[in-house]
Structures are given as structure tokens and as C-alpha cells.
Amino acid sequence: DVKVTQSSRYLVKRTGEKVFLECVQDMDHENMFWYRQDPGLGLRLIYFSYDVKMKEKGDIPEGYSVSREKKERFSLILESASTNQTSMYLCASALRGGSAFFGQGTRLTVV
Amino acid sequence: GENVEQHPSTLSVQEGDSAVIKCTYSDSASNYFPWYKQELGKRPQLIIDIRSNVGEKKDQRIAVTLNKTAKHFSLHITETQPEDSAVYFCAASKDNAGNMLTFGGGTRLMVKP
């Protein structure tokens, strides 16, 4: 069974803080993704990575960066958190040519 | 880029009735259309998908239809049960797989016992 694990279920951070969201998958998937989920907007792609050290911008990359130093781990970084980044963040992974599997999500609140 | 519209945003049905959720997409190059179910507080889970070389796919009580000409696809759930209550998301991608998905806004389905 595919396992995609996000390091935190809930996070509360202050405006201006640097925030790290971590995601680990155990199925040797090449591709990993970060989405944010907001009511009525569905899931929107922030960044994705198709290999170690490779990254591509998604639809809403502004205010975010990512890091993929190892195949199994994909980190989302908020350089300076703002209140409009309060959201549910979902990590996903997929084999090249396969279906995407999601982590359980991290609900981030920026105060 | 791709745009996926999903309707309705909420749907309430009586247990045993059928439920239909519809999605339209804008990019004719899209060729992979998965549906995800997200129960309250849980991760989205893939329930069924369809590729553009197929018009319909069925798995027990759920089915998906695709009309490439009209650029729309639909999820059909028959004999609904209370455990079908969840938010359902449609999505589309151009790489014939679950990468670079563009999601619809979601449909909250409530099945009343």
C-alpha cells in the first residue's frame, strides 16, 4: 500500500516566519507534488518535482519554494508566511505514468 | 492552461438514489480524468479514472463517462449509501497519467439515510 506521509497534521505559525512542510513517500515514486486546498477552489498545484533536485512551478508558486534532495522526500517552504497562505496543504506522489496518491494533509494557520 | 469546472458544488440525495456529478474541461489535449473521494478529515483517494480512448468505465456502483467532443465527463454513483457522503473532486491532465492534475472545485455529496 502506498504511503505518503506529511510531517504535521496541524501547524500554527506567525506572519513572517519561515515554514517548512515535509512529505515522505515510501514507494520509490519519481514524481512528487504540493497542492493547496481551499473551499470552492479544489486543489491547486504549487510545485512539482519529477526527479531529485528537479522542480517545476505549478499554477500558484508565488510565495513558495521547494526542495528535493532525496527521492523520497519533498519539502515545501514558505519563506515568509502570510495570512493568505492559511490553507490545507496536500502532498502527493506518483510513478511516471501512474496515478497520484495523497498524503493526509497539513492544515496551516498563519496568524 | 487547463480549466476544470465542476457542478454541483453540493448535492443531497436520499439513500438508494443515484448521484451524478459533472465536470467540463477546456484543453482538448487533456487525456486522463481521475475522480477522487475525500472523506471528512482524510486524504483524497482515487476511486476511478478514465483515459481519452475510452467512453465509459464502471466499477461496481460507480461509473464514469467521457464525451471528448463536448469536453465533459461525469461521475455516476448508483444505489447511494451513507458512506458515500464525502467531497468528490474531478481532475484532468495531459500526460495520460496522474501528473500535473488540474482539479475541479469539488462536490460535497450528502446521502441521507
Side-chain angles (χ1 to χ4, degrees), chain A residues 4 9 31 33 35 37 42-43 45 48 94 97-100 102-104, chain B residues 32 36 38 41 43-44 46 49 51 89 97-101 103-105:
Chain A
V4 181
R9 289 298 302 270
N31 297 337
F33 311 85
Y35 290 88
Q37 180 178 14
L43 286 75
L45 183 64
F48 74 100
S99 304
F102 285 86
Q104 76 277 25
Chain B
Y32 175 71
Y36 285 83
Q38 187 177 29
R43 71 192 71 196
L46 179 70
D49 57 14
R51 289 182 164 80
F89 292 98
N99 304 296
M100 294 299 291
L101 292 168
F103 283 85

Side-chain angles (χ1 to χ4, degrees), chain A residues 45-96:
Chain A
L45 183 64
I46 305 171
Y47 266 97
F48 74 100
S49 168
Y50 53 90
D51 204 348
V52 175
K53 297 193 186 293
M54 305 304 288
K55 60 184 179 184
E56 293 286 342
K57 292 180 180 179
D59 297 319
I60 50 164
E62 297 79 18
Y64 304 95
S65 62
V66 290
S67 172
R68 190 153 180 216
E69 296 297 317
K70 293 185 178 181
K71 191 174 186 179
E72 66 270 18
R73 186 179 297 271
F74 192 35
S75 303
L76 180 69
I77 304 154
L78 286 68
E79 295 290 343
S80 176
S82 63
T83 54
N84 63 11
Q85 292 178 308
T86 290
S87 187
M88 170 70 84
Y89 290 87
L90 287 160
C91 173
S93 73
L95 280 170
R96 205 163 286 139

